[in-house]
């Protein structure tokens, strides 16, 4: 057996006041780990600057969100910061009546792509230190980076290439 890694810089989410994790498709994989780690540290941390944590996940199919429902089920009781999960279905222009208003196991699903400039501006309203981490398709990550810089946020690309 051969194990390599981890690679890249180590990011402590508790060093920032506001954190937005952005995942596109299978880019959710490292973001699930980051979210769960932040929650575990938040429950046990003595000192943390983190005041808010948000996950924005974009997928082509609403069914993709349900596959990670167990991993993303967060017990927020006792956390010193709120956790919000925003789901976007990029290939859905509308939801059929039998599907309801775009609801999944993890919560409401918005049809279309997210407006990163609006999201980051909202998260950065109080002038707090905002950190944006993104993993997903190159075009989405580039759009995130541009929006993060226009919101005066710190940005880190967690995408990988094989």
């Amino acid at each position: 057996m051969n194990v390599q890694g981890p690679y890249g810089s180590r990011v402590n989410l508790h060093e920032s006041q506001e954190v937005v994790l952005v995942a596109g498709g299978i880019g959710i994989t490292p973001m699930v780990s980051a979210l769960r780690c932040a929650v575990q540290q938040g429950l046990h941390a003595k000192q943390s600057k983190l005041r808010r944590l948000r996950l924005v996940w974009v997928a082509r199919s609403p069914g993709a969100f349900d596959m990670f429902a167990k991993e993303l089920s967060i017990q927020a009781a006792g956390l010193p910061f709120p956790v919000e999960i925003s789901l976007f279905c990029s290939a859905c222009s509308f939801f059929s009546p039998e599907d309801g208003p775009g609801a999944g196991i993890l919560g409401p699903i918005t049809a279309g792509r997210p407006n990163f400039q609006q999201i980051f501006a909202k998260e950065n309203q109080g002038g707090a230190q905002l950190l944006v981490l993104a993993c997903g398709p190159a075009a989405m990550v580039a759009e995130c980076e541009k929006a993060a810089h226009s919101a005066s946020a710190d940005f880190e690309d967690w995408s990988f290439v094989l």
Side-chain angles (χ1 to χ4, degrees):
M1 173 166 53
N2 181 23
V3 178
Q4 296 179 328
Y7 296 103
S9 59
R10 184 175 185 274
V11 175
N12 184 348
L13 301 181
H14 292 275
E15 292 298 316
S16 298
Q17 295 173 325
E18 312 272 340
V19 175
V20 179
L21 306 172
V22 180
I26 63 167
I28 190 63
T29 307
M31 297 307 169
V32 167
S33 295
L35 180 85
R36 291 175 59 130
C37 182
V39 167
Q40 288 175 347
Q41 288 177 348
L43 290 171
H44 304 296
K46 302 286 186 243
Q47 293 183 336
S48 174
K49 294 179 184 178
L50 190 58
R51 296 189 319 210
R52 182 169 165 74
L53 179 60
R54 182 173 182 182
L55 170 67
V56 177
W57 184 13
V58 187
R60 291 184 183 162
S61 162
F65 302 122
D66 294 343
M67 289 190 294
F68 280 89
K70 182 178 177 185
E71 289 82 0
L72 291 172
S73 296
I74 304 299
Q75 301 299 324
L79 272 178
F81 53 85
V83 175
E84 180 181 342
I85 298 176
S86 302
L87 308 172
F88 292 85
C89 181
S90 63
C92 301
S93 56
F94 63 91
F95 290 97
S96 63
E98 60 269 7
D99 290 338
I105 294 172
L106 290 170
I109 301 169
T110 303
R113 294 186 171 143
N115 182 327
F116 294 119
Q117 285 192 311
Q118 279 183 342
I119 291 170
F120 302 156
K122 178 185 174 193
E123 294 297 328
N124 206 16
Q125 280 180 342
Q129 177 189 11
L130 176 62
L131 172 63
V132 176
L133 304 174
C135 184
M140 184 204 76
V141 171
E143 185 181 335
C144 270
E145 183 173 17
K146 183 179 176 184
H149 290 302
S150 69
S152 299
D154 294 324
F155 177 81
E156 183 147 342
D157 177 355
W158 275 13
S159 295
F160 52 90
V161 178
L162 295 177

